[in-house]
Amino acid sequence: MGEESRLAAVVALAQGMAAAHSSREAWRAAAGGARRALGGSFAALSVWERELGRLRVLVNVGELAEGEEEFPEDESYPVHQFAEITEFLHERWAGGGEPDAWVETAQGPEEGRAGYCHQRVAALRRRGRGCCVVAPIVLHGLAWGELYVARPVGEPVFGRADADFATVLAAVVAAGIAQTERLEEARRLAFTDSLTGLANRRAVDARLDEAVEQHRRDGAVVSLVVCDVNGLKRVNDTLGHSVGDRLLERFGTVLSLCGAMLPGALAARLGGDEFCLLAVGPSADEVVKAADEVCRRAVELGIGDGVACGVASTEDPIGPVFSARRLFRLADAAQYRAKAERAARPVVAGRQGPDDPVVRLADEPSREADGERRRFRGRHAPG
């Protein structure tokens, strides 16, 4: 491959990783781009998990051998079997060198040439591959993992020029991984409440829009639990805001624990003393049971005055739900009623007869305007 072709390959790899929307897409783009650039039949990207002492495969691309998967659940190898990941890299760096790539063949090292891993040789033979080039990936000054590209038996063996090129590719991959990590961290922060670590209102809005669309499309049960922590102002005024923050943090933990009763539920802090659980799939009764547990555990926190909890589910008789806004209004109205009645258990929209006061309250815009209750939250247009 000429210099222009190699430069084009480097650019293509970088662009592929930059276009990725998730870590998995970035890993696939990295391995796939390196495989094409080096003319390999197979490539893998692995990460060194220091705390577990293992090299874990993140992605396999190309011609997969028996038992290999594109995104393996748990394909990992004890790092002591791959001395080059620790000893070789550290020895090279200690001597002022760079983390260069190297080549292994199914025949093993030639006489007089360093060979690092009989495990790799055995793996090449077992999977019908003739040679591989291994390039360390260095991120933030530490060995992060490796890029591995192989060719089948009968194909030309990788040479020194290929190893040098693999070193360049590994550096490009490292830059792409760093960028992906920065973007994912930015996304995480954008959708996370900084005090409790739960999802924030932005995350709820996005998930609820998707959930209501799923309900309209295939009838999925969508349920929303809205909670208001009672007594937060009193705690802030008498014990200080640090204690108030501690109350919110502890309630966030309670909400998360109870949300785990509902597979896939999203626990979130909407802002101030307001929290919610969003569940897609579980029955309304299961959601009410989880909300009941939230109320019970909130009382046991010892500070604050428990929570007021309202539930709205598309499985209950609340009328058609065509928008996220309407489901929010129903859950909020139920929570308002729970607070007004000082209810120790959740109030559930639609379960108080054909003229349910919660449904009537939620669907009566004039009630929102006259200040009789707080404004409903939300960016959504009325449903």
Side-chain angles (χ1 to χ4, degrees):
M1 183 183 287
E3 284 190 19
E4 289 187 4
S5 297
R6 289 195 163 178
L7 178 59
V10 169
V11 171
L13 189 156
Q15 290 176 336
M17 294 191 72
H21 292 95
S22 67
S23 289
R24 278 195 165 200
E25 289 183 14
W27 301 337
R28 184 195 289 119
R35 183 185 68 81
R36 289 187 292 273
L38 287 162
S41 60
F42 169 86
L45 187 68
S46 303
V47 63
W48 179 10
E49 296 181 329
R50 283 176 169 79
E51 70 280 9
L52 299 176
R54 68 180 189 176
L55 192 67
R56 180 169 65 89
V57 178
L58 299 174
V59 65
N60 295 310
V61 300
E63 298 175 9
L64 305 185
E66 184 178 353
E68 288 178 329
E69 300 175 349
E70 182 178 24
F71 292 106
E73 290 264 336
D74 189 22
E75 183 185 350
S76 59
Y77 306 93
V79 75
H80 71 264
Q81 294 181 357
F82 298 85
E84 69 277 7
I85 290 296
T86 53
E87 298 169 12
F88 170 69
L89 292 178
H90 292 173
E91 287 171 7
R92 290 297 299 269
W93 288 340
E98 294 297 324
D100 295 334
W102 65 92
V103 174
E104 299 285 353
T105 71
Q107 285 71 44
E110 299 173 2
E111 188 174 349
R113 182 179 72 84
Y116 287 96
C117 192
H118 70 278
Q119 303 286 350
R120 292 194 193 277
V121 173
L124 286 170
R125 293 172 180 170
R126 184 171 64 251
R127 291 166 178 163
R129 293 167 184 147
C131 63
C132 67
V133 58
V134 184
I137 295 172
V138 179
L139 197 62
H140 309 310
L142 292 172
W144 180 89
E146 68 173 36
L147 179 66
Y148 174 102
V149 181
R151 286 175 179 168
V153 173
E155 290 292 314
V157 173
F158 289 115
R160 183 66 253 169
D162 295 312
D164 290 342
F165 186 38
T167 300
V168 173
L169 294 174
V172 175
V173 169
I177 290 171
Q179 176 67 8
T180 299
E181 288 181 351
R182 285 193 294 270
L183 289 174
E184 291 201 332
E185 177 64 7
R187 293 190 192 106
R188 186 191 67 78
L189 292 174
F191 289 94
T192 302
D193 175 62
S194 59
L195 177 64
T196 63
L198 300 179
N200 63 12
R201 179 58 194 259
R202 186 181 290 109
V204 174
D205 285 339
R207 183 77 68 85
L208 188 55
D209 281 337
E210 294 172 359
V212 170
E213 179 58 32
Q214 187 178 346
H215 167 70
R216 295 176 63 182
R217 186 176 63 249
D218 57 29
V221 177
V222 180
S223 304
L224 189 65
V225 181
V226 173
C227 303
D228 190 292
V229 178
N230 295 327
L232 178 64
K233 184 178 186 304
R234 177 185 59 77
V235 170
N236 284 336
D237 290 346
T238 60
L239 302 176
H241 285 272
S242 61
V243 179
D245 285 349
R246 178 64 177 151
L247 171 60
L248 295 174
E249 291 172 347
R250 290 178 63 187
F251 179 71
T253 300
V254 164
L255 191 68
S256 180
L257 288 171
C258 296
M261 298 167 62
L262 306 168
L266 179 71
R269 181 186 178 207
L270 300 173
D273 58 2
E274 298 169 336
F275 292 76
C276 81
L277 274 177
L278 171 59
V280 181
S283 69
D285 285 344
E286 290 176 293
V287 173
V288 172
K289 182 179 179 181
D292 201 39
E293 184 70 6
V294 169
C295 292
R296 186 185 68 80
R297 292 195 179 210
V299 172
E300 296 174 353
L301 289 177
I303 51 176
D305 300 311
V307 294
C309 195
V311 183
S313 174
T314 59
E315 195 174 52
D316 282 322
I318 57 175
V321 175
F322 296 129
S323 73
R325 170 63 171 165
R326 183 163 190 270
L327 195 65
F328 237 128
R329 287 174 64 92
L330 285 159
D332 205 25
Q335 185 275 127
Y336 171 75
R337 189 172 180 86
K339 197 172 191 71
E341 296 177 351
R342 298 182 180 275
R345 302 186 64 184
V347 170
V348 186
R351 295 195 175 185
Q352 299 180 54
D355 192 28
D356 188 293
V358 171
V359 176
R360 189 172 68 249
L361 179 64
D363 291 340
E364 203 172 276
S366 62
R367 296 295 294 277
E368 185 173 350
D370 65 12
E372 191 169 328
R373 65 184 182 83
R374 67 185 177 184
R375 292 176 57 84
F376 285 105
R377 301 171 298 270
R379 61 173 176 76
H380 299 280

